[in-house]
Amino acid sequence: YEVLDGAIPEAQKPQVCRADFTEVGLLGRGGFGRVDLALHKQATGYCALKAMSKGYIVKCGMQASIFNDRHCMRLCDSPFLLRLYATYHD
């Protein structure tokens, strides 16, 4: 994943936090967390926020699977698939 992370200069990586969004509603629940529909306050665009329980992921030993999921979403560039815009933790 170093190649992927190094491909985007630090100055161009979007800086986001939970406070940047207004939750609109629940889109779904999964094994590790939930996905909410949210409105970005400044960009005024909708997005899906995927929230996962870090403790549960570690407890189940699924860290590699989660990193693989993140890597695959970053590589997607299609109007028919979701695209990973940014990640953050709190």
Side-chain angles (χ1 to χ4, degrees):
Y1 304 115
E2 292 81 21
V3 174
L4 179 65
D5 288 336
I8 302 171
E10 282 296 322
Q12 292 180 5
K13 286 185 181 180
Q15 299 296 316
V16 296
C17 66
R18 187 75 174 186
D20 293 339
F21 300 95
T22 302
E23 287 186 29
V24 177
L26 179 68
L27 291 175
R29 293 181 192 262
F32 297 114
R34 57 188 282 151
V35 178
D36 292 301
L37 178 64
L39 178 64
H40 191 276
K41 293 177 181 177
Q42 292 181 349
T44 64
Y46 288 95
C47 63
L49 290 180
K50 184 176 184 178
M52 296 183 281
S53 170
K54 197 182 296 186
Y56 186 71
I57 291 167
V58 171
K59 178 181 171 185
C60 294
M62 298 297 294
Q63 298 95 315
S65 177
I66 299 304
F67 281 115
N68 188 43
D69 184 44
R70 177 181 159 200
H71 180 72
C72 290
M73 285 192 290
R74 283 202 183 214
L75 293 176
C76 291
D77 187 19
S78 168
F80 303 108
L81 299 172
L82 290 178
R83 183 177 48 173
L84 179 64
Y85 177 72
T87 60
Y88 70 92
H89 61 89
D90 59 355

